[in-house]
Amino acid sequence: MNMEKMMQDKAVSMYGSDLSNCSNEQIYLLLLDITKDLMANAPLIEGDRKLYYISAEFLIGKLLSNNLLNLGVYDQVRDVLAGMGKTLAEIEEIEPEPSLGNGGLGRLAACFLDSIATLELPGDGVGLNYHLGLFHQKFENRKQKELPDPWMTAQSWLNDTGKYYPVHFGNMDVEAHLKSMDVIGYTGKKNQLLLFDLDTVTEAIVESDSINFDKNDVKENLTLFLYPDDSDEVGRKLRVYQQYFLVSAGAQMILEDVKAHSWDLKNISDHVVIQINDTHPSMVIPELIRLLMENGLSLEEAVAQTEKVCAYTNHTILAEALEKWPSHFIEQVAPQLMPIIRELDAIAAKRDDNPKTRIIQNDIIHMANMDIHFSKSTNGVAKIHTDILKDTELHDFYRLYPEKFNNKTNGITFRRWLQACNPQLTKWIISKIGDGFLKDSIELEALKKYAADPECQKEVLAIKREKKEELAVFLKNRQGVEIDPNSIFDIQVKRLHEYKRQQMNLLSVINLYQEIKNGYVPEEKVTVIFGAKAAPAYILAKDIIHAILVLSDLIAKDEVASKYLQVVMVENYDVTCAEKLIPAADISEQISLASKEASGTSNMKFMLNGAVTLGTDDGANVEIHHLVGDDNIFIFGVDSDTVIKHYEKADYHPQDILAQDSKVRELVDFLVSEEMIALGDQTSLGRLHHDITTKDWFMALIDLESYMNCRKEAYAAYADQNRWAQMMINNIAAAGFFSSDRTIAQYNEEIWKLK
Ligand SMILES: *Cc1c(COP(=O)(O)O)cnc(C)c1O
């Protein structure tokens, strides 16, 4: 195919002008058109058994580069653009990032779609088409402000299928409108991302300069936002409306597919598997049973088939994150489900007399309990996470259904997280070991033998340097901040949550600052970068953001400290900026309280791009640690057994540490020092200080000392650039296990059995 001619012809047919006269926006739109045409002509992946990956989120990121790469025309487009003095990166700046997800769970779903199509397995994503996303984060007066995040434009990756499915709520009927996007795999075959929307939704009901809207008006608000504020009852109920809308339309569409193939609904489990991504789509279970019964199956038959169709992925051990809905919500939103849920609860009671495994407890419906009873599989997302589920959190279920429990350690797609975001490193790897790793990621192991080679070390350091310079340009353009590529880039980017312990990072940076103020001269300058959105109703998370932004300015204003230390918080952390930050990182901060991070996936992205992990033995860090060995990672902190015991005995008190350790006391008290208050909000900083000194539920103080020491060790190791480069190469070489192609192959072998 002659890409230059295709682009020329498109320029003439779309704009009546020569390609060379097109603006970046025009070039983006003509490439969108070409790419969509190529995808429209790609063969659909088919089989006699199909997966539906149902999820509240798909954090897919921009699609142009990724789709060009998977279509095999990336290099051609790049070369045509280069001939015009342009880069794909410039063109892709025009593309809005779809705001259909929030964090790791949504990004996982996106990586999975890429790998499912690449492995040529028939499997579609099923979700909702949010108009305004989660929110767009802005910083104002050193605080997070939430704004709508519109992303749909007249021309986009979305296609209109023209199909509608009726959804019956307790108080009204609506029509779910099915939109779709093609998902092209690396071998050129495609699946779909299927997204339901409601035509009556009205963006104009959102108050200007905020994300507030009338939460009662479901017809106008249903698909406006992902995770509408659930701090009040109408907000929580709106989430239930969204969930039922997704699963009812989704289940109808699945049955329509089955009928179109003339498959017998009585054997639907031979042809369909539904992977339930966390508890948000759990109502698909009773809804599928209800629809199968409408189609002539008995309750027993419908339940038996559904239990064989569905599989559930657990993403958290935080009890507060396992959804529970009052039954009166379901009575109002989807009353037709209540009789079925009651039947399921009765069956669960017959299977087990333990009241803790019941679905309905005190008129509250436990969604995860319904998932585990009525799915064929329950999986955790990293080895330690699955072990904790079996041993503690879901132990009662594990005793009941040991055969249902299994682990699927998360993965990431190397197409986006290496090839597209780091072409320099990709090219270098190919020059050393060939391109076989692009199809079989384990081949990266062959890099190990180059780790000690000084020439190779020089080469990876030069690539890292180039990525750091690219990041500096990106941040200058994006938010006007200048960073120094000569410094250590020490990066923590992920949703803001106390268990992820950004507050511990903050306290450790206060320590670095105070040491410099006390005359210590660091060997290396450090740039500490944060990126995180806080849920709008999560006050303490917003207090942590405020404290980071205040400290950042405080250090920047200090003539001495700013020579050695800079703190940057990137605004609106999203996939686009992850793709810039991660390849530029020297240190990957993965410092969650042991036992609390189910897996993490940014840890894998960083490793693959040659950053060294500074972290706890938690989530997939445990597996990273095992793969790279003690010499290529910095591990600190108490282990998960210790943490779990503290919770069981309720014997962790931050006051004990503060009374014993005057240094820790000093760091925490700095939060409410005159210096901080001079730039910040006393109420917010006081609230954070009060929480850490009296509660510290996620135990930031328990590891603070060992974290600060370990961080110093990492900085010292960085000073020896040859040793550091050796660690970088060893990390890249060991990252093959974390390809989502491996994860998906395991899902398929053990759960989906698609071919
Ligand atoms: C990978 C990714 C995440 C998940 O990060 P964790 O550190 O694993 O929580 C969240 N957001 C974005 C934009 C990502 O790319």
Side-chain angles (χ1 to χ4, degrees):
M1 142 185 8
N2 182 340
M3 182 53 68
E4 180 149 22
K5 180 163 186 332
M6 276 172 84
M7 290 172 67
Q8 276 294 1
D9 291 350
K10 259 302 179 225
V12 172
S13 70
M14 283 174 73
Y15 314 115
S17 76
D18 192 82
L19 181 61
S20 60
N21 295 326
C22 287
S23 66
N24 285 1
E25 175 155 12
Q26 287 177 317
I27 295 172
Y28 169 69
L29 289 174
L30 73 81
L31 282 173
L32 174 69
D33 220 56
I34 289 172
T35 311
K36 283 182 80 171
D37 283 348
L38 291 172
M39 292 200 296
N41 291 324
L44 207 57
I45 301 167
E46 286 182 291
D48 68 351
R49 192 171 159 76
K50 181 166 172 180
L51 163 75
Y52 298 87
Y53 193 90
I54 188 164
S55 175
E57 311 181 24
F58 289 91
L59 190 56
I60 53 184
K62 295 186 182 190
L63 293 170
L64 181 61
S65 292
N66 202 250
N67 287 340
L68 292 172
L69 192 73
N70 282 1
L71 285 162
V73 297
Y74 180 95
D75 291 355
Q76 295 172 46
V77 171
R78 183 198 55 202
D79 294 346
V80 175
L81 292 173
M84 303 167 62
K86 293 184 186 292
T87 65
L88 246 175
E90 277 168 65
I91 302 302
E92 211 176 35
E93 271 175 38
I94 309 291
E95 178 176 356
E97 176 174 328
S99 34
L100 297 171
N102 155 46
L105 172 157
R107 185 53 235 172
L108 185 77
C111 284
F112 280 7
L113 292 186
D114 184 85
S115 286
I116 292 164
T118 294
L119 298 187
E120 301 189 357
L121 300 171
D124 289 345
V126 181
L128 293 178
N129 191 44
Y130 309 103
H131 294 217
L132 303 174
L134 185 74
F135 61 83
H136 181 94
Q137 181 192 55
K138 276 198 68 148
F139 297 143
E140 226 176 75
N141 301 321
R142 307 187 177 99
K143 288 187 172 167
Q144 168 175 301
K145 181 176 167 66
E146 301 95 21
L147 294 169
D149 193 12
W151 63 278
M152 283 187 280
T153 42
Q155 275 83 40
S156 80
W157 300 102
L158 275 177
N159 300 312
D160 186 351
T161 67
K163 291 187 189 170
Y164 286 84
Y165 300 86
V167 174
H168 304 292
F169 293 125
N171 54 348
M172 70 188 126
D173 292 344
V174 297
E175 293 281 326
H177 187 171
L178 180 60
K179 315 272 178 78
S180 72
M181 289 187 201
D182 287 331
V183 178
I184 188 91
Y186 195 47
T187 66
K189 297 189 181 168
K190 74 175 176 213
N191 286 314
Q192 307 275 305
L193 172 55
L194 302 161
L195 299 169
F196 294 102
D197 202 347
L198 187 57
D199 291 345
T200 51
V201 163
T202 308
E203 289 158 31
I205 68 167
V206 181
E207 290 168 22
S208 69
D209 210 29
S210 86
I211 55 168
N212 299 327
F213 61 92
D214 177 0
K215 289 191 217 158
N216 285 296
D217 194 345
V218 172
K219 279 198 168 149
E220 298 209 314
N221 70 23
L222 187 66
T223 52
L224 281 177
F225 289 101
L226 167 63
Y227 302 142
D229 173 16
D230 62 350
S231 57
D232 59 16
E233 174 155 326
V234 277
R236 285 194 289 279
K237 219 177 283 169
L238 175 53
R239 290 198 186 190
V240 179
Y241 274 105
Q242 290 186 328
Q243 293 181 357
Y244 184 65
F245 182 74
L246 167 60
V247 304
S248 179
Q252 291 176 64
M253 179 194 71
I254 291 167
L255 293 194
E256 186 184 81
D257 274 3
V258 171
K259 289 176 184 171
H261 283 92
S262 306
W263 292 326
D264 185 354
L265 286 178
K266 289 202 166 155
N267 303 319
I268 184 175
S269 62
D270 290 343
H271 302 288
V272 171
V273 50
I274 299 175
Q275 190 70 40
I276 301 173
N277 195 29
D278 212 327
T279 53
H280 319 103
S282 300
M283 280 186 284
V284 75
I285 290 172
E287 180 67 0
L288 185 64
I289 292 170
R290 189 183 74 80
L291 291 171
L292 288 172
M293 289 170 70
E294 273 188 8
N295 280 274
L297 275 72
S298 68
L299 175 72
E300 290 69 28
E301 290 171 330
V303 171
Q305 284 297 306
T306 299
E307 191 169 340
K308 283 204 249 175
V309 162
C310 293
Y312 160 63
T313 301
N314 174 286
H315 283 271
T316 182
I317 65 155
L318 301 183
E320 65 271 24
L322 287 179
E323 289 179 304
K324 299 170 193 70
W325 298 122
S327 52
H328 72 265
F329 278 20
I330 312 287
E331 290 285 7
Q332 274 178 34
V333 175
Q336 59 277 32
L337 286 192
M338 270 323 292
I340 311 231
I341 294 173
R342 289 206 181 85
E343 292 281 4
L344 295 178
D345 181 53
I347 298 172
K350 269 191 223 146
R351 292 184 188 176
D352 187 15
D353 55 16
N354 178 354
K356 286 192 273 186
T357 66
R358 287 290 291 267
I359 295 170
I360 307 177
Q361 299 174 23
N362 300 320
D363 276 327
I364 306 248
I365 304 173
H366 292 240
M367 307 312 273
N369 295 11
M370 183 164 71
D371 289 317
I372 302 167
H373 279 296
F374 295 100
S375 294
K376 64 175 169 180
S377 157
T378 291
N379 76 280
V381 290
K383 188 176 180 305
I384 187 179
H385 170 56
T386 302
D387 288 344
I388 292 171
L389 291 180
K390 288 184 188 175
D391 296 345
T392 52
E393 293 303 308
L394 299 178
H395 183 64
D396 292 328
F397 283 101
Y398 178 59
R399 283 180 44 187
L400 189 59
Y401 304 117
E403 73 289 350
K404 288 191 183 189
F405 281 75
N406 64 95
N407 176 245
K408 296 288 167 283
T409 298
N410 282 168
I412 54 170
T413 170
F414 287 20
R415 268 76 65 188
R416 182 176 293 269
W417 295 110
L418 179 64
Q419 287 181 262
C421 74
N422 203 339
Q424 298 96 326
L425 184 59
T426 308
K427 193 170 154 203
W428 179 80
I429 298 171
I430 293 172
S431 77
K432 297 296 165 203
I433 64 168
D435 64 2
F437 74 97
L438 297 175
K439 290 259 163 73
D440 181 4
S441 60
I442 284 299
E443 289 189 16
L444 280 177
E445 279 173 5
L447 278 179
K448 274 212 176 96
K449 65 171 178 285
Y450 300 99
D453 177 337
E455 199 52 39
C456 290
Q457 293 172 350
K458 236 170 75 192
E459 288 163 3
V460 294
L461 288 169
I463 292 167
K464 183 62 78 181
R465 171 73 196 206
E466 194 179 336
K467 300 311 280 185
K468 288 167 85 166
E469 281 167 9
E470 283 181 20
L471 175 63
V473 172
F474 176 82
L475 286 180
K476 180 88 198 348
N477 292 336
R478 185 165 159 125
Q479 64 186 77
V481 52
E482 291 189 36
I483 58 173
D484 180 359
N486 289 311
S487 61
I488 301 175
F489 284 8
D490 180 342
I491 306 187
Q492 184 178 21
V493 283
K494 47 187 75 251
R495 287 305 306 278
L496 210 133
H497 200 290
E498 288 162 86
Y499 85 76
K500 292 178 183 278
R501 296 198 294 188
Q502 283 96 347
Q503 71 277 31
M504 185 171 78
N505 187 339
L506 171 79
L507 291 169
S508 157
V509 174
I510 291 174
N511 179 52
L512 295 173
Y513 168 72
Q514 291 190 334
E515 284 181 349
I516 296 166
K517 293 297 278 181
N518 291 334
Y520 168 75
V521 179
E523 200 168 338
E524 303 281 341
K525 180 175 179 184
V526 182
T527 303
V528 177
I529 303 179
F530 292 88
K533 290 183 182 179
Y538 189 174
I539 305 283
L540 208 58
K542 291 171 133 181
D543 291 337
I544 294 169
I545 290 179
H546 178 59
I548 293 169
L549 290 170
V550 169
L551 184 68
S552 166
D553 282 353
L554 194 157
I555 293 171
K557 285 176 202 285
D558 187 299
E559 231 171 87
V560 179
S562 59
K563 281 197 198 127
Y564 306 105
L565 183 60
Q566 183 179 11
V567 175
V568 174
M569 179 129 200
V570 296
E571 213 168 35
N572 199 48
Y573 176 59
D574 57 9
V575 177
T576 306
C577 75
E579 288 167 0
K580 292 288 179 195
L581 288 160
I582 290 169
D586 296 306
I587 295 177
S588 160
E589 296 273 353
Q590 306 296 339
I591 60 176
S592 56
L593 176 64
S595 81
K596 292 297 177 186
E597 184 74 88
S599 162
T601 49
S602 76
N603 44 5
M604 305 166 187
K605 302 168 194 164
F606 279 107
M607 171 195 199
L608 178 62
N609 282 278
V612 180
T613 304
L614 168 57
T616 49
D617 255 328
D618 196 19
N621 300 354
V622 175
E623 287 156 88
I624 294 175
H625 184 185
H626 180 78
L627 284 162
V628 300
D630 288 338
D631 293 342
N632 297 291
I633 192 164
F634 296 92
I635 295 287
F636 66 90
V638 296
D639 65 13
S640 62
D641 289 340
T642 307
V643 171
I644 290 167
K645 284 209 186 80
H646 279 310
Y647 280 111
E648 278 169 6
K649 295 194 194 147
D651 66 353
Y652 171 76
H653 305 293
Q655 295 90 336
D656 299 345
I657 296 172
L658 291 163
Q660 263 176 26
D661 192 329
S662 59
K663 166 112 163 265
V664 169
R665 174 92 238 176
E666 210 182 302
L667 297 176
V668 177
D669 285 345
F670 188 80
L671 291 171
V672 287
S673 62
E674 273 174 33
E675 282 176 273
M676 290 287 284
I677 303 281
L679 297 178
D681 170 350
Q682 189 155 12
T683 310
S684 171
L685 294 169
R687 192 164 43 215
L688 178 59
H689 178 262
H690 182 257
D691 188 275
I692 294 178
T693 51
T694 60
K695 190 163 152 220
D696 191 25
W697 183 247
F698 291 99
M699 307 181 191
L701 300 191
I702 205 170
D703 289 334
L704 181 57
E705 196 77 59
S706 62
Y707 173 51
M708 293 190 301
N709 291 333
C710 198
R711 191 172 205 165
K712 285 258 172 68
E713 267 176 53
Y715 291 174
Y718 182 88
D720 177 351
Q721 282 280 284
N722 287 71
R723 167 160 182 232
W724 190 264
Q726 185 167 1
M727 295 172 78
M728 290 170 66
I729 297 171
N730 279 325
N731 270 273
I732 301 164
F737 175 74
F738 297 108
S739 165
S740 47
D741 295 350
R742 183 272 309 156
T743 313
I744 289 302
Q746 291 180 333
Y747 271 92
N748 190 44
E749 268 161 41
E750 295 163 32
I751 305 173
W752 303 338
K753 302 180 194 306
L754 299 172
K755 69 174 185 194

